Amino acid sequence: MKAGIVVFPGTNRERDMALALTRAGAEVAWLWHRDGDLPAGLDLVVLPGGFSYGDYLRCGAIAARAPIMQAVARHAARGGLVLGVCNGFQILCEAGILPGALLRNASLRFLASDCLLRVERTDTPFTGLYRAGQVIRCPMAHGDGNYVADEDVLDRLEGEGLVAFRYVDERGEAVAEAARNGAARNIAGILSPNRRVLGLMPHPENAVDPLTGGEDGLPLFLSLVQAAVAT
Amino acid sequence: MKARVTVMPKSGVLDPQGKAIGHALASLGFAGVGEVRAGKVIELELAETDPEKAKAAAEEMARRLLANPVIESFRVEIAG
């Protein structure tokens, strides 16, 4: 699988992302925010975490209007795989590729800790190697992860099964306290209607090594490689 | 010509920043402060000299970038 990682000024998780993808067997290409086109033969575009453009205006707002984002939107429209993590999720929402928005954490605090996520469905290119309902441990690090959308948008996401991951407690229950950032309906990650685009606040790329807090994030990248090979 | 764009969290959207300001005002002893909402003001210096056209241009900028319609509303004022 060929994955392209987009770097904006202020992106800072791109190397972690490259490490996770490489460990899963993907080939990584670096993409620059000013590029107008994606390299040929790219299976996956990744928007990694960080603080693009210093979070000026709104998190991800400036990056969403960068030249490369039109190419990313075209890639998504033709069914290409897209993964946006943390700031990348914010950028996907600001670009209108995914619905909703990410507001300041309800506590107003920057949250840097592990969180527990429940895998809501496994018939997606991102989650094929997880078990349905599996609870995974993943680090999170964000100031603006409070997912919001209109009630009808939330109902549509639920109705179409487009919630990919939810914040849960130790028992795997999506109780309100588990969504420490205040995210509506405990939403940590959502999918596009064709399930080829995933936006996710926590960092699976930082959970790929037993020496640094576990490997629960690795199956996401292995699933992607498997899905890309299968198509 | 100057345009002033005021961007506010939409009513119904949680505004934790406004809430924190409200709490701080209460702890300073200011009584009788109800809901507090915090937004931002963006001032634009525009080459356009026609107030109507300047307003339309600033509104287009607000729609395309300055405000996020999912969570924010905006208002444009033209000042000479």
Side-chain angles (χ1 to χ4, degrees):
Chain A
M1 178 182 72
K2 200 169 166 194
I5 302 177
V6 182
V7 178
F8 299 95
T11 297
N12 66 10
R13 298 272 183 149
E14 72 275 16
R15 285 169 196 277
D16 306 32
M17 191 58 80
L19 188 139
L21 285 163
T22 309
R23 192 161 287 198
E27 182 192 332
V28 168
W30 295 103
L31 311 178
W32 186 232
H33 64 108
R34 273 204 281 258
D35 295 349
D37 289 302
L38 303 176
L42 211 59
D43 300 296
L44 167 71
V45 175
V46 182
L47 306 176
F51 299 86
S52 58
Y53 300 89
D55 279 350
Y56 289 172
L57 191 61
R58 296 176 304 275
C59 299
I62 312 278
R65 278 93 181 159
I68 198 164
M69 286 307 295
Q70 291 189 20
V72 174
R74 287 194 297 271
H75 174 78
R78 61 174 175 257
L81 292 164
V82 180
L83 170 64
V85 169
C86 198
N87 190 219
F89 184 13
Q90 295 163 341
I91 295 169
L92 288 174
C93 288
E94 276 285 342
I97 295 173
L98 290 175
L102 292 137
L103 283 181
R104 182 65 47 90
N105 293 342
S107 61
L108 285 178
R109 288 177 193 277
F110 189 95
L111 294 168
S113 66
D114 280 358
C115 62
L116 297 175
L117 300 175
R118 189 174 69 208
V119 181
E120 296 293 283
R121 63 188 299 171
T122 55
D123 53 348
T124 85
F126 304 90
T127 56
L129 294 173
Y130 290 109
R131 280 175 287 107
Q134 186 178 344
V135 175
I136 63 170
R137 181 174 291 276
C138 224
M140 64 172 169
H142 59 251
D144 298 68
N146 182 354
Y147 183 76
V148 295
D150 294 341
E151 283 298 311
D152 54 337
V153 172
L154 293 172
D155 288 341
R156 182 177 64 76
L157 287 172
E158 306 256 22
E160 295 176 15
L162 301 179
V163 178
F165 294 94
R166 268 184 235 269
Y167 301 105
V168 293
D169 65 10
E170 302 279 347
R171 293 167 299 136
E173 302 288 336
V175 294
E177 307 82 73
R180 292 171 57 215
N181 51 25
R185 305 192 191 182
N186 287 46
I187 289 172
I190 57 169
L191 296 155
S192 60
N194 67 358
R195 295 179 237 155
R196 306 280 291 174
V197 179
L198 171 68
L200 176 66
M201 275 323 288
H203 291 278
E205 77 277 18
N206 292 129
V208 296
D209 191 322
L211 273 180
T212 53
E215 293 180 296
D216 283 3
L218 191 57
L220 187 145
F221 300 98
L222 292 168
S223 299
L224 275 169
V225 169
Q226 200 178 68
V229 169
T231 47
Chain B
M1 185 145 277
K2 270 195 174 153
R4 171 177 291 212
V5 184
T6 305
V7 180
M8 293 298 292
K10 272 200 318 204
S11 59
V13 168
L14 179 74
D15 176 17
Q17 194 172 210
K19 273 211 170 91
I21 294 168
H23 290 148
L25 287 172
S27 69
L28 281 174
F30 289 102
V33 180
E35 196 189 10
V36 180
R37 316 243 336 138
K40 56 179 89 108
V41 171
I42 300 162
E43 288 184 341
L44 307 165
E45 218 170 283
L46 303 175
E48 181 59 60
T49 52
D50 179 90
E52 286 301 308
K53 283 184 187 161
K55 187 168 188 199
E59 283 173 347
E60 180 63 9
M61 293 175 206
R63 269 192 293 275
R64 297 263 312 270
L65 174 67
L66 307 180
N68 178 342
V70 177
I71 49 174
E72 295 168 326
S73 60
F74 68 85
R75 186 177 77 237
V76 174
E77 295 158 282
I78 299 294

